[in-house]
Amino acid sequence: KMAGSSAPWIGSAYLFLQSTCKTIVLPSLYESSQKKPSVFKALKLALADSTGSVNGVDMLKVHCSHPHLIVQLKFCKQENCRRFLQSYREGALQKSLQNHLQLSLAMTTVPLEMELKAGNEHLDKMLKDEDRCLECIYREKPDRLRDEEITELEECLKSLIVHHSFNNNMAVKDCASLNSPSLPYPSRGRSLSPEVTFIFQGQEFANRTLTPDDHQKFAKLVSKKWKQVGRSLQKTCRALRDPVIDNLALEYDREGLYEQAYQLLLRFIQSEGKKATIARLIAALEENGLISLAEELLGLHSNEDCS
């Protein structure tokens, strides 16, 4: 029960953002090391406006999934979540974010479309029933801690505010020095893999976090066996526990095998962070007889018939 428990009220939701202007692509702006601090600042301020507090809602991670920018939110108090839902329902959050983006990015206008999800529930369809929305958000406990990059951007934003009277461009350049690759892939520079190397077919390979190139190759070549690979990864990945894999199959059925496989690995990468390594994926491929695809990911050949 939400009210009767002595434990703190904690819930999670995903805010999907997309610009309706073709020339403004939010994921591309966030992927730019120069624009990232400005986009983050706008998100932070708009969310503070929606709850009336800088700490009313916490951003755990920002995902770039073209054409959407997806913000994973964490709520620690029911009243803050209510204020957020009210602001979202009335369009105040949308207007606030448009204004902050316009100011931060020095653009004339940034038209937005927004969507709110908690698990498999599309909350936009039930906004009039606030209690039901709260129950859906409460059911979805955050599956990760705050991303390191978010913490760095938070610190950078504080620095920007403190030094606002100085040259603003210099402060933004300091922020831009983060220069991280686009989320959801972990920063390679600080990556400390659980195993430094691993063995595949008698050869030793350096372990590393999965890259966007690995992600695309997997989705393109795994074909119908994506579910089997998912069930192998599921053994050590909480985010892929049942019924997640079956839900992905249903949700992306129309888009086809590529998108289903892409979304599967996206879940793995998002939840595991730096622990989403090539060694774990290769082990899952081996377990399901996908040796050719494993070789492709390790650069051993360029054969594309891996299914």
Side-chain angles (χ1 to χ4, degrees), residues 30-48:
Y30 194 81
E31 285 166 347
S32 160
S33 59
Q34 290 180 326
K35 300 287 186 184
K36 182 177 290 183
S38 299
V39 177
F40 179 81
K41 178 184 176 183
L43 287 169
K44 183 74 179 172
L45 294 175
L47 289 170

Side-chain angles (χ1 to χ4, degrees), residues 3 54 62-63 119 123 132 153 156 178 181 204 208 229 250 261 265:
V54 176
V62 180
H63 310 288
L123 301 186
R132 191 179 165 201
L153 286 164
C156 192
L178 292 171
E204 189 174 21
R208 54 176 173 78
V229 176
L250 290 170
L265 203 58

Side-chain angles (χ1 to χ4, degrees), residues 5-73:
S5 174
S6 59
W9 194 98
I10 295 175
S12 181
Y14 286 89
L15 182 63
F16 287 70
L17 305 168
Q18 180 181 359
S19 171
T20 54
C21 176
K22 289 182 180 178
T23 58
I24 301 172
V25 184
L26 291 177
S28 297
L29 290 171
Y30 194 81
E31 285 166 347
S32 160
S33 59
Q34 290 180 326
K35 300 287 186 184
K36 182 177 290 183
S38 299
V39 177
F40 179 81
K41 178 184 176 183
L43 287 169
K44 183 74 179 172
L45 294 175
L47 289 170
D49 289 346
S50 73
T51 58
S53 166
V54 176
N55 301 313
V57 55
D58 193 16
M59 280 188 277
L60 296 182
K61 193 172 180 72
V62 180
H63 310 288
C64 292
S65 180
H66 290 260
H68 292 101
L69 197 66
I70 308 171
V71 187
Q72 186 175 4
L73 304 173

Side-chain angles (χ1 to χ4, degrees), residues 105-289:
L105 297 168
M107 292 181 172
T108 52
T109 180
V110 185
L112 289 177
E113 279 184 354
M114 306 177 89
E115 190 178 356
L116 191 62
K117 292 182 182 179
N120 293 324
E121 299 288 350
H122 293 250
L123 301 186
D124 298 74
K125 297 175 182 177
M126 57 178 89
L127 287 173
K128 289 181 180 178
D129 190 345
E130 192 173 279
D131 286 336
R132 191 179 165 201
C133 287
L134 283 167
E135 284 173 13
C136 292
I137 292 170
Y138 179 73
R139 277 202 307 267
E140 292 299 316
K141 301 302 180 199
D143 59 0
R144 60 169 17 257
L145 298 174
R146 185 198 283 185
D147 196 73
E148 280 183 18
E149 185 173 44
I150 296 289
T151 302
E152 289 178 3
L153 286 164
E154 291 267 14
E155 291 302 314
C156 192
L157 182 55
K158 287 177 191 173
S159 173
L160 255 179
I161 293 166
V162 170
H163 297 101
H164 190 70
S165 58
F166 293 90
N167 187 327
N168 197 42
N169 289 332
M170 287 302 294
V172 172
K173 283 177 185 172
D174 289 341
C175 287
S177 67
L178 292 171
N179 198 24
S180 301
S182 64
L183 291 170
Y185 305 93
S187 294
R188 293 171 198 160
R190 294 188 303 274
S191 178
L192 294 171
S193 301
E195 314 149 28
V196 178
T197 62
F198 66 99
I199 303 296
F200 172 71
Q201 293 187 326
Q203 292 185 56
E204 189 174 21
F205 292 89
N207 198 9
R208 54 176 173 78
T209 51
L210 293 170
T211 66
D213 188 50
D214 297 328
H215 196 165
Q216 289 176 356
K217 279 183 181 176
F218 171 81
K220 182 181 177 185
L221 302 173
V222 71
S223 191
K224 293 177 182 177
K225 287 195 174 181
W226 70 269
K227 271 183 153 184
Q228 290 169 245
V229 176
R231 302 213 185 281
S232 294
L233 291 172
Q234 180 188 69
K235 295 170 188 174
T236 57
C237 178
R238 221 179 85 191
L240 294 179
R241 286 187 307 196
D242 291 332
V244 170
I245 294 171
D246 289 333
N247 287 345
L248 286 173
L250 290 170
E251 191 174 349
Y252 296 97
D253 182 49
R254 287 186 180 180
E255 286 87 346
L257 293 172
Y258 174 91
E259 190 61 28
Q260 288 170 328
Y262 187 91
Q263 293 296 329
L264 171 83
L265 203 58
L266 181 64
R267 288 287 179 98
F268 179 66
I269 290 165
Q270 287 173 348
S271 66
E272 297 297 295
K274 292 175 184 175
K275 294 178 183 176
T277 61
I278 189 72
R280 290 175 72 183
L281 182 57
I282 294 298
L285 294 173
E286 272 194 288
E287 192 174 311
N288 292 286

